[in-house]
Amino acid sequence: MKRSRNVRQLPQAKARFPKLKYTARFGALAAGASLLTGCGGEDAYIYKTVAECSYDNPGYNDNCEYAYRRALAEWDQTAPRYNSQGDCEYDFGYQECRERRPYFIPIMAGFMMAENNLTEEEFDLDFDRPKPLGSSKRRGSTGYGKWIGAQGGLYGDFYSSKTKVKRSIFSAPKSTGRVTSRGGFGRTISSRSSGG
């Protein structure tokens, strides 16, 4: 596949998109792909860090940083809120939550960006509308080892970096995170994954 030369860059970004370097991690979707919220749909790429995004998009470090910061700001608004650290860790794992007064929220584990197909051979990433993702590290949690959206949708195995999603998930967030109780977010995940 060939990257487009018509990608809108942030003012500080200087290089053009070179040919995308697919790494082995883009190869196959994990077994958890059957739990995807959007069966079919648009391709999306998931990155755990700005460095991963920059590696796969050489010369676009500023764009990756911008996308990460936008995702983090949205996560701070929409992530599930808990009254205590213990309740949050029950759903997401030990030391996987941080205080955001007066609540506790899980730590953002990654961010996802849609692929925009320009032609059959060219595409670019939508750096302007990233989606934040969390992941549970607590065995026994409904979302253990999965990518989890702020509203409880599952987006495949934590080690997958490409997935298919409904385009609508990249729209503006509908609400701020709601306060949930111990184990409450797990029930949200169960209802979203069984209905997806």
Side-chain angles (χ1 to χ4, degrees):
M1 287 193 162
K2 198 163 76 172
R3 285 287 192 163
S4 169
R5 293 189 174 268
N6 301 320
V7 177
R8 184 177 71 84
Q9 291 185 348
L10 297 175
Q12 63 270 31
K14 294 178 178 97
R16 293 228 182 245
F17 259 127
K19 217 174 198 182
L20 178 68
K21 292 182 181 179
Y22 280 97
T23 58
R25 60 191 191 88
F26 281 140
L29 293 175
S34 62
L35 296 173
L36 296 177
T37 297
C39 304
E42 303 287 328
D43 285 334
Y45 293 87
I46 300 172
Y47 300 105
K48 293 177 186 151
T49 64
V50 172
E52 275 187 10
C53 177
S54 296
Y55 178 79
D56 284 336
N57 303 284
Y60 280 74
N61 185 62
D62 292 338
N63 296 69
C64 290
E65 181 72 34
Y66 172 76
Y68 171 82
R69 290 193 183 285
R70 283 186 65 115
L72 187 59
E74 184 177 318
W75 186 254
D76 282 348
Q77 291 178 347
T78 60
R81 290 164 164 69
Y82 296 84
N83 287 320
S84 74
Q85 185 169 353
D87 287 352
C88 182
E89 289 180 346
Y90 181 82
D91 281 343
F92 288 91
Y94 180 67
Q95 293 186 336
E96 292 302 313
C97 298
R98 66 180 173 86
E99 188 171 9
R100 188 167 189 282
R101 292 179 185 241
Y103 305 107
F104 290 86
I105 64 171
I107 294 170
M108 186 178 87
F111 59 108
M112 174 170 50
M113 289 185 287
E115 177 181 289
N116 291 326
N117 292 319
L118 303 174
T119 68
E120 210 170 289
E121 288 119 18
E122 296 181 331
F123 66 89
D124 63 356
L125 293 179
D126 188 347
F127 291 99
D128 290 322
R129 295 185 301 155
K131 278 302 178 192
L133 299 172
S135 185
S136 177
K137 294 190 178 170
R138 188 185 75 80
R139 290 186 189 275
S141 168
T142 308
Y144 174 71
K146 306 287 181 213
W147 287 113
I148 307 167
Q151 304 300 315
L154 293 177
Y155 301 101
D157 184 78
F158 181 71
Y159 295 101
S160 64
S161 57
K162 186 176 178 184
T163 189
K164 290 221 179 259
V165 296
K166 292 179 183 176
R167 189 75 173 163
S168 61
I169 72 145
F170 291 101
S171 58
K174 294 177 181 156
S175 64
T176 59
R178 67 183 195 287
V179 178
T180 189
S181 59
R182 176 181 294 248
F185 195 65
R187 287 189 293 279
T188 300
I189 294 169
S190 294
S191 67
R192 291 293 305 266
S193 61
S194 63

